[in-house]
Amino acid sequence: PTNSIHLETFDDGFIYPVVNLDTCVNCNKCLNVCPVHNINKNNEHQVLYSGIANDKVNVFAASSGGVFGAIATKLIEEGYYVCGAAWTSDLNLKHTLISSIEELNGLLKSKYVQSNTEGIYAEINALLKDGKKVFFVGTPCQVSALKNYTHYHKNLLTADIICHGVPSQTMFNDYISYLNRINDGKVIDFSFRVKNNKFKHAHGYRYTFEKNGIRKTVEGIYSDSPYYYAFKEYLTFRESCYACQYATINRVGDITLGDFWGIEKYDSTANSDIGVSLVISNSEHGLEVLRKINSVTFREYPLSFGIETNYSLSNVTKKPDNYDEIMNFYKGNGFEKTAIKYFSGGKSFKYKVYWKIPASIRNGIRKMRGLINV
């Protein structure tokens, strides 16, 4: 009530809340909604599914099986607002509210940056108080914070993503500046998890840059990109991510969404490189919504299958032994020198050789390594 909290970017690149103790009146309202001090989880009706959108165009528009887009489309048709992470025009990631299917594309696909939620909870709360319905998707801690803030409003439906940690917007900005320099242009678009890439790899990326009025596109796989490689190796997350209290099978959202890695073990017709969603209903509300989605083929599995194939569903990401060393070096030397020193492992000989193997042969190798087809 006294506006005693503001946000600051620290030298590690992450944004932290700072309290002005001179104006704070110790009302404890911030503590009452903080997702660290108020951990809410539910597992009322947990059912695990694989999910693949029936329209393959929707599968390729998504990072996994296209389930989020299908849910969002159905709910928008029913009058819901949908809130998820979207790029701004200057490639900053911000949670954004939409109310039309035409706006949905910006919310699709994984974006491996910590999203900015400043102000969005208040917007959602105002909609809920006005009788509107909202579907929110975010990391488990973001979902928990929103549920606390809105007092578990009945018109709020939430989906938490299976998250193993977030890098900072600052480091991503540094990476984009690096790409601007090496291309002598300006990057105007960046996509993680590009499926229709020449490598046929689940972690392909693509960006477009503009130089002298001409646009060019570059694509590769994560091992080619120092930022993406660091993300995949868990090297640059917010430190609190390595002690996450939400990395558990007892989820916070009504629905949990992620990738069904290793689905080939249970379904010989599936291909996790192309994309299969792992979906869990955690509440009666979530189950009711999933039952209404007829544009996705769902297949039910024991919950243990999801735990087995997606480590981050029930385990905290281990903090790298050299994390402090990396972050201290980054603080003093910037992204490019840090990338050269710590994020170049993906360019090793074994990576180059492995990704020259055709995708069909790589899939065969995976199946031969003890995978059981059902």
Side-chain angles (χ1 to χ4, degrees):
T2 56
N3 294 318
S4 297
I5 302 174
H6 67 279
L7 299 175
E8 287 186 13
T9 301
F10 282 33
D11 56 0
D12 65 354
F14 289 99
I15 296 173
Y16 297 89
V18 178
V19 179
N20 182 344
L21 298 178
D22 293 331
T23 58
C24 174
V25 294
N26 296 310
C27 67
N28 288 332
K29 286 189 174 182
C30 57
L31 294 178
N32 291 338
V33 300
C34 176
V36 175
H37 292 277
N38 303 273
I39 301 170
N40 62 75
K41 300 171 186 174
N42 63 70
N43 57 354
E44 301 170 25
H45 299 273
Q46 282 194 305
V47 183
L48 172 71
Y49 305 93
S50 66
I52 306 176
N54 298 331
D55 187 337
K56 297 308 176 188
V57 172
N58 294 335
V59 174
F60 275 87
S63 293
S64 50
V67 172
F68 165 69
I71 296 173
T73 297
K74 178 66 174 178
L75 294 178
I76 289 172
E77 290 172 348
E78 294 183 356
Y80 273 75
Y81 287 79
V82 174
C83 185
W87 295 118
T88 64
S89 59
D90 54 355
L91 291 180
N92 281 280
L93 192 63
K94 182 175 176 57
H95 259 73
T96 306
L97 273 163
I98 67 167
S99 57
S100 69
I101 294 173
E102 290 73 25
E103 300 172 283
L104 181 57
N105 189 60
L107 273 55
L108 302 179
K109 300 189 74 65
S110 298
K111 304 164 183 85
Y112 298 129
V113 184
Q114 184 178 22
S115 66
N116 181 353
T117 58
E118 189 172 2
I120 201 68
Y121 297 157
E123 289 184 51
I124 292 173
N125 202 35
L127 287 172
L128 295 173
K129 288 182 176 180
D130 195 36
K132 304 296 192 298
K133 294 182 178 182
V134 178
F135 174 43
F136 177 91
V137 60
T139 62
C141 54
Q142 291 171 338
V143 170
S144 184
L146 178 61
K147 291 177 71 172
N148 291 337
Y149 183 73
T150 60
H151 304 289
Y152 301 82
H153 201 286
K154 65 179 182 179
N155 286 345
L156 176 66
L157 175 74
T158 60
D160 65 68
I161 61 172
I162 300 175
C163 173
H164 53 257
V166 290
S168 71
Q169 178 72 55
T170 300
M171 184 172 284
F172 183 71
N173 291 346
D174 291 344
Y175 173 54
I176 295 299
S177 294
Y178 159 75
L179 294 178
N180 289 342
R181 185 184 65 77
I182 64 173
N183 290 293
D184 189 25
K186 181 180 180 180
V187 174
I188 57 175
D189 179 66
F190 193 99
S191 295
F192 297 94
R193 300 291 298 276
V194 174
K195 293 178 182 177
N196 55 338
N197 61 85
K198 62 184 178 183
F199 302 98
K200 307 300 181 187
H201 190 286
H203 280 279
Y205 70 90
R206 179 180 296 134
Y207 67 86
T208 301
F209 71 92
E210 191 170 65
K211 178 180 179 181
N212 299 327
I214 300 173
R215 294 185 176 184
K216 296 184 178 180
T217 298
V218 177
E219 66 176 33
I221 58 175
Y222 79 92
S223 55
D224 300 328
S225 161
Y227 178 89
Y228 206 165
Y229 173 80
F231 170 82
K232 284 278 289 168
E233 294 295 314
Y234 311 154
L235 299 177
T236 53
F237 298 159
R238 188 183 182 95
E239 188 162 12
S240 57
C241 295
Y242 302 110
C244 179
Q245 300 172 84
Y246 291 96
T248 169
I249 192 61
N250 295 318
R251 308 301 295 182
V252 60
D254 296 294
I255 297 168
T256 293
L257 298 172
D259 293 278
F260 210 135
W261 301 119
I263 183 63
E264 297 90 346
K265 184 173 182 178
Y266 313 113
D267 181 357
S268 61
T269 66
N271 185 338
S272 55
D273 281 342
I274 294 176
V276 180
S277 294
L278 185 155
V279 187
I280 305 175
S281 62
N282 302 307
S283 69
E284 187 65 39
H285 193 184
L287 189 58
E288 288 175 3
V289 169
L290 291 179
R291 285 173 173 167
K292 294 190 294 185
I293 308 302
N294 55 21
S295 59
V296 171
T297 297
F298 290 107
R299 185 174 177 181
E300 185 176 338
Y301 292 97
L303 193 60
S304 59
F305 285 15
I307 296 172
E308 179 183 341
T309 59
N310 198 312
Y311 180 86
S312 297
L313 178 60
S314 57
N315 292 276
V316 179
T317 298
K318 183 181 181 296
K319 182 179 176 180
D321 293 336
N322 61 344
Y323 176 80
D324 293 332
E325 177 185 331
I326 291 172
M327 296 309 291
N328 286 329
F329 189 87
Y330 170 66
K331 293 173 187 178
N333 298 276
F335 177 79
E336 289 195 43
K337 290 183 179 180
T338 306
I340 293 170
K341 187 175 176 67
Y342 296 103
F343 307 155
S344 58
K347 296 182 180 181
S348 64
F349 179 74
K350 67 176 182 179
Y351 275 87
K352 292 179 180 179
V353 170
Y354 182 70
W355 294 116
K356 285 185 180 296
I357 300 174
S360 59
I361 297 178
R362 294 201 306 267
N363 290 336
I365 292 172
R366 283 195 308 206
K367 291 178 180 178
M368 290 173 62
R369 291 173 60 190
L371 298 180
I372 303 171
N373 294 324
V374 178

